[in-house]
């Protein structure tokens, strides 16, 4: 907490998170999980499928309270969450999906967001008329419309083809740089993390914890292939040392 009582960090301390199911032994998903992210920064949590990334986001978002530990949200505490599935209201147009999520937002602000994500021409379309890539962009616009203090993104590029994923990554990078929204993105793709994040949290084998933290000191706009390759090699060494997830 800063002096005025407002949190300047996202802080997660989960001593443990277990899943129990009838007749089976409880499964420990997270253990001694500690992560902190300064306000205005973009963090990426990297680990393969099944290692607890969605579990972590649900805990941070307050959707799962069955864990031992505590989460401190950045000052304001307003959350924008983009799930793996876009979860749009199917019977509402794109612009109405935004209006319902953010009734206090001005029409100008919503129009600017749609423009930033190149969605203006789809404002009156319904979710069923959109490709997955477009629907993801709407889900991101909707999360940003509430002017979140923290933006949580769960594998937003999964099941998009390479060109679309690259395009969406570039758009999110611009939004992070221009709006300075504290962002936590979870992904199984190291390269994606290097392209987007200021700090990368590498998850250990299950039960997951942050096994290594890598700072990306090169600004997003100045990232070159050589710098990204070097960072990737360093991260792979760290992951090797943890023996994967
Ligand atoms: N609702 C649930 N009940 C029981 N086990 C679960 C539940 N959700 C997730 N798990 C288990 O917890 C682990 C982490 O899952 P998850 O957080 O979805 O991983 P990730 O998002 O990294 O793929 C997995 O082993 C998964 O099977
Ligand atoms: Mg997941």
């Amino acid at each position: 907490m800063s002096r005025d009582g407002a949190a300047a960090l996202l802080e997660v301390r989960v001593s443990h998170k277990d899943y129990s199911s009838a007749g089976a032994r409880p499964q420990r998903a997270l253990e001694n999980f500690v992560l902190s992210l300064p306000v205005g920064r973009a963090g990426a949590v990297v680990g393969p499928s099944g290692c607890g990334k969605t579990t972590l986001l649900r805990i941070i978002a307050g959707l799962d309270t069955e864990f031992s530990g505590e989460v401190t949200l950045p000052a304001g505490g307003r959350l924008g969450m983009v799930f793996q599935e876009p979860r749009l209201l199917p019977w509402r147009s794109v612009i109405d999906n935004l209006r319902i999520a953010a009734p206090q937002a001005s029409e100008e602000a919503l129009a600017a967001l749609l423009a930033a994500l190149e969605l203006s021409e789809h404002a009156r379309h319904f979710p069923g008329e959109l490709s997955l890539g477009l629907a993801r962009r709407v889900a991101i616009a909707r999360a940003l419309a509430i002017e979140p203090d923290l933006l949580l993104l769960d594998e937003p590029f999964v099941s998009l083809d390479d060109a679309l994923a690259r395009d969406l990554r570039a758009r999110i990078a611009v939004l992070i740089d221009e709006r300075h929204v504290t962002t936590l993105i979870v992904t199984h793709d190291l390269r994606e993390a290097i392209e987007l994040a200021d700090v990368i949290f590498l998850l250990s084998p299950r039960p997951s914890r942050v096994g290594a933290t890598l700072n990306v000191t090169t600004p997003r706009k100045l990232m070159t292939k050589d710098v990204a390759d070097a960072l990737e090699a360093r991260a792979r060494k760290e992951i090797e040392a943890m023996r994967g997830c």
Side-chain angles (χ1 to χ4, degrees), residues 4-69:
D4 61 4
L9 288 173
L10 162 69
E11 286 203 283
V12 180
R13 291 176 183 277
V14 177
S15 64
H16 57 88
K17 160 68 193 171
D18 295 330
Y19 282 112
S20 44
S21 52
R25 271 198 309 140
Q27 281 218 37
R28 182 149 293 189
L30 307 176
E31 189 171 77
N32 296 329
F33 194 107
V34 179
L35 174 157
S36 72
L37 180 68
V39 160
R41 310 313 294 272
V45 173
V46 179
S49 183
C51 79
K53 302 184 296 299
T54 298
T55 300
L56 171 70
L57 286 193
R58 288 177 49 79
I59 286 175
I60 294 173
L63 298 171
D64 183 347
T65 54
E66 307 267 292
F67 68 97
S68 156

Side-chain angles (χ1 to χ4, degrees), residues 129-184:
E129 301 174 293
L130 305 175
S131 66
L132 178 60
L134 283 171
R136 283 265 168 79
R137 265 146 63 184
V138 176
I140 292 166
R142 180 179 58 178
L144 286 167
I146 65 164
E147 299 196 351
D149 301 296
L150 176 65
L151 176 65
L152 301 173
L153 298 160
D154 195 353
E155 308 234 25
F157 313 113
V158 159
S159 59
L160 299 183
D161 69 40
D162 285 353
L164 260 180
R166 213 173 314 120
D167 173 71
L168 188 51
R169 261 200 307 277
R171 284 180 206 286
I172 291 178
V174 169
L175 290 169
I176 292 171
D177 283 334
E178 285 181 355
R179 294 179 185 242
H180 306 292
V181 182
T182 312
T183 300
L184 191 67

Side-chain angles (χ1 to χ4, degrees), residues 64-82:
D64 183 347
T65 54
E66 307 267 292
F67 68 97
S68 156
E70 60 176 349
V71 172
T72 307
L73 296 178
R78 229 171 351 183
L79 271 172
M81 174 122 182
V82 179

Side-chain angles (χ1 to χ4, degrees), residues 132-245:
L132 178 60
L134 283 171
R136 283 265 168 79
R137 265 146 63 184
V138 176
I140 292 166
R142 180 179 58 178
L144 286 167
I146 65 164
E147 299 196 351
D149 301 296
L150 176 65
L151 176 65
L152 301 173
L153 298 160
D154 195 353
E155 308 234 25
F157 313 113
V158 159
S159 59
L160 299 183
D161 69 40
D162 285 353
L164 260 180
R166 213 173 314 120
D167 173 71
L168 188 51
R169 261 200 307 277
R171 284 180 206 286
I172 291 178
V174 169
L175 290 169
I176 292 171
D177 283 334
E178 285 181 355
R179 294 179 185 242
H180 306 292
V181 182
T182 312
T183 300
L184 191 67
I185 185 162
V186 307
T187 173
H188 62 272
D189 185 326
L190 196 47
R191 204 65 184 204
E192 195 170 286
I194 290 168
E195 239 178 76
L196 271 178
D198 304 306
V199 52
I200 297 175
F201 305 102
L202 299 172
L203 298 191
S204 74
R206 239 180 70 214
S208 274
R209 61 186 170 76
V210 175
T213 302
L214 240 79
N215 287 302
V216 182
T217 48
T218 309
R220 267 176 287 283
K221 282 179 196 150
L222 303 178
M223 181 60 71
T224 61
K225 182 175 178 304
D226 285 351
V227 174
D229 284 348
L231 274 167
E232 186 175 347
R234 256 179 63 203
R236 295 221 176 273
K237 251 188 215 157
E238 298 276 8
I239 292 167
E240 191 60 35
M242 296 187 276
R243 278 180 285 109
C245 176

